[in-house]
Amino acid sequence: MTKNNSFIINNTILILIFTLCFKNISAQTASFSDNIKFGGGIGLSFGSNFFSGTLEPSAIYQVNPQFAFGAGLNFTYNSQKDFYKSTILGGTLTGLFNPIPNIQLSAEYQQLHVNRKYDNDLILYQDEKYWSPALLLGIGYQTNHVTVGVRYDVLYDDYKSIYASPWAPFIRVYF
């Protein structure tokens, strides 16, 4: 499949998911602000001369008990001693659907800008600046304000994706 066809298919899927989120919007007695929930994620990873930290604040609008949609920001800093440092900045659009209580399906579209600088004196690696898209489809178990699950990046690229694998566990919290 060509890169252009893949782009069209992925954007069509994203538009379809968000259209389904808007389909069941109906008149509600609660005000708009009563249906907004704030949350996000924090990630830390340590290893042998490696550090990674992520902040992901986000907000969703709870359309009804089944549908929610929202947006978020992403900031990540990675560093491996004597090898590279990177900053990753971007945004996320999120759609959430609960087909039955406690089960949550999610679609998250991320567009992240990667700025990676290598520390080596040899010219083995060149500094990189590029945009990395991700379309994460997930399923999770929800209880109260917390959802725990797994998601899959359908746009995963071995060379450009910021994630080590297309599969990733997640914990989502909204208040």
Side-chain angles (χ1 to χ4, degrees), residues 70-88:
L73 299 174
N74 180 303
F75 173 76
T76 300
Y77 175 79
N78 294 316
S79 174
Q80 185 163 352
K81 186 176 181 181
D82 298 326
F83 186 52
Y84 80 94
K85 292 179 179 82
S86 69
T87 55
I88 301 164

Side-chain angles (χ1 to χ4, degrees), residues 75-146:
F75 173 76
T76 300
Y77 175 79
N78 294 316
S79 174
Q80 185 163 352
K81 186 176 181 181
D82 298 326
F83 186 52
Y84 80 94
K85 292 179 179 82
S86 69
T87 55
I88 301 164
L89 300 168
T92 302
L93 296 175
T94 303
L96 305 173
F97 173 62
N98 292 77
I100 59 175
N102 300 107
I103 298 298
Q104 186 178 84
L105 304 176
S106 61
E108 299 172 74
Y109 179 74
Q110 293 181 337
Q111 190 63 261
L112 305 172
H113 186 265
V114 178
N115 185 1
R116 186 175 296 134
K117 295 186 181 211
Y118 291 94
D119 295 338
N120 60 17
D121 292 329
L122 304 173
I123 306 185
L124 297 175
Y125 299 99
Q126 292 186 358
D127 292 349
E128 299 175 290
K129 289 184 180 182
Y130 61 92
W131 286 94
S132 177
L135 179 56
L136 306 158
L137 302 179
I139 185 167
Y141 179 79
Q142 181 182 21
T143 179
N144 295 323
H145 303 289
V146 179

Side-chain angles (χ1 to χ4, degrees), residues 24 26 28 35 37 61-68 96-104 142:
N24 288 341
S26 59
Q28 299 179 9
N35 292 328
K37 296 180 181 180
Y61 178 75
Q62 191 72 47
V63 177
N64 60 38
Q66 291 179 306
F67 289 98
L96 305 173
F97 173 62
N98 292 77
I100 59 175
N102 300 107
I103 298 298
Q104 186 178 84
Q142 181 182 21

Side-chain angles (χ1 to χ4, degrees), residues 5-6 8 21 28-29 52-53 88 93 99 104 106 134 166:
N5 287 343
S6 176
I8 291 170
C21 287
Q28 299 179 9
T29 58
S52 179
I88 301 164
L93 296 175
Q104 186 178 84
S106 61

